[in-house]
């Protein structure tokens, strides 16, 4: 079962698929992450961003019709840079980050911090590695559109924001139900190496979780904020990476597309 980038953030696209949760090699109690996340504020940064690299020749079109051979767009359906919070909302030291990837890594960027992603690739890689089998019993619902936004802290740690457009509030709630149940099912025992703790956030519908690999010490913190047809997630690499309180970050999320 593929994991999330927690950075998986430690995020990586393997063969064009977004690896949203890789529990990678431990580094100072957190694995390296292929980060992502940006916002309206990031657009100014993207103006001076480097030119996007050539797309990987090995990438192919996905079952959902996403063209992995093309340089990804900066929007996906109604989702754009203004869908995710500004980097400053994460707290001091956070900035928008341009992750251009490479053909060797199996994915490409577009020269900006905001990148359209294959909806199926994102959800296929949504759940963390090392959980009990019950965690993977129900497939994560696939959205209509998916957008990734990247952030980086001055400490070198990464964060990745993902916006998922499910088309209707009912479909978005189905995702929340399945995802929450899966996270709660990731507990110790039965050979599992990852433990997830889910906690509420004082914002309607929002919740947070902490994903900890008990073998290598990797830790990712995640915020999930549903709003109508759209669900937004923010993953932060490292247990002690400086971060504003979840309640403040959730409140700073821009209005979701109607």
């Amino acid at each position: 079962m593929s994991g999330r980038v927690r950075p998986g953030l430690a995020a990586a696209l393997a063969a064009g698929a977004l690896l949203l949760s890789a529990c990678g090699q431990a580094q100072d109690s957190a694995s390296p992450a292929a980060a992502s996340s940006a916002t309206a504020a990031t657009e100014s940064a993207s103006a001076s961003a480097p030119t996007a690299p050539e797309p990987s020749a090995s990438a192919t079109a996905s079952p959902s019709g996403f063209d992995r051979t093309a340089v990804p767009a900066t929007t996906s359906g109604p989702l754009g840079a203004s869908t995710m919070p500004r980097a400053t909302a994460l707290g001091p030291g956070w900035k928008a980050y341009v992750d251009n990837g490479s053909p060797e890594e199996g994915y490409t960027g577009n020269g900006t911090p905001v990148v359209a992603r294959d909806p199926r690739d994102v959800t296929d890689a949504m759940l963390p590695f090392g959980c009990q089998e019950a965690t993977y019993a129900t497939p994560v619902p696939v959205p209509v559109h998916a957008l990734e936004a990247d952030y980086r802290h001055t400490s070198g740690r990464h964060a990745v924001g993902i916006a998922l457009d499910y088309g209707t509030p009912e479909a978005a709630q189905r995702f929340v139900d399945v995802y929450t149940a899966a996270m709660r099912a990731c507990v110790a025992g039965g050979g599992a190496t990852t433990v997830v703790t889910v906690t509420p956030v004082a914002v309607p519908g929002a919740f947070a979780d902490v994903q900890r690999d008990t073998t290598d010490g990797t830790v990712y913190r995640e915020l999930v904020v549903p709003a109508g047809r759209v669900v937004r997630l923010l993953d932060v690499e490292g247990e002690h990476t400086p971060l504003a309180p979840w309640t403040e970050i959730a409140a700073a999320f821009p209005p979701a597309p109607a």
Side-chain angles (χ1 to χ4, degrees):
M1 191 72 198
S2 51
R4 163 187 322 254
V5 178
R6 281 300 44 48
L9 285 176
L13 286 179
L18 174 66
L19 184 59
L20 269 185
S21 178
C23 295
Q25 299 86 3
Q27 173 184 331
D28 192 24
S29 79
S31 69
S36 19
S37 265
T39 64
T42 67
E43 294 183 340
S44 60
S46 67
S48 60
T51 303
E54 290 298 317
S56 171
S58 62
T60 59
S62 79
S64 58
F66 188 89
D67 185 2
R68 301 191 186 113
T69 66
V71 173
T74 58
T75 61
S76 182
L79 307 175
S82 61
T83 306
M84 297 300 295
R86 295 174 181 271
T88 53
L90 277 64
W94 286 99
K95 294 183 178 181
Y97 177 74
V98 178
D99 178 11
N100 277 320
S102 70
E104 292 74 21
E105 293 173 302
Y107 70 104
T108 60
N110 57 19
T112 82
V114 183
V115 182
R117 291 301 188 203
D118 184 325
R120 183 173 294 278
D121 287 346
V122 170
T123 51
D124 281 352
M126 184 76 50
L127 302 178
F129 285 115
C131 297
Q132 290 191 335
E133 286 303 311
T135 304
Y136 314 114
T138 303
V140 177
V142 179
V144 181
H145 304 287
L147 188 78
E148 172 186 335
D150 293 300
Y151 308 86
R152 185 170 183 172
H153 189 259
T154 53
S155 65
R157 301 295 190 186
H158 293 88
V160 59
I162 296 292
L164 307 174
D165 172 26
Y166 278 91
T168 68
E170 294 76 17
Q173 186 59 49
R174 171 61 177 164
F175 164 82
V176 172
D177 293 344
V178 170
Y179 192 64
T180 307
M183 293 295 96
R184 292 188 185 280
C186 188
V187 297
T193 61
T194 299
V195 176
V196 179
T197 303
V198 179
T199 58
V201 173
V203 171
F207 66 91
D209 63 68
V210 176
Q211 304 177 22
R212 184 186 306 275
D213 189 303
T214 57
T215 298
D216 65 16
T218 299
V219 176
Y220 292 106
R221 293 173 285 166
E222 178 175 69
L223 174 68
V224 181
V225 182
R229 61 188 276 179
V230 176
V231 180
R232 288 167 289 188
L233 303 90
L234 177 68
D235 282 287
V236 179
E237 175 191 15
E239 183 173 14
H240 302 295
T241 306
L243 191 71
W246 281 141
T247 302
E248 293 182 13
I249 296 175
F253 273 55

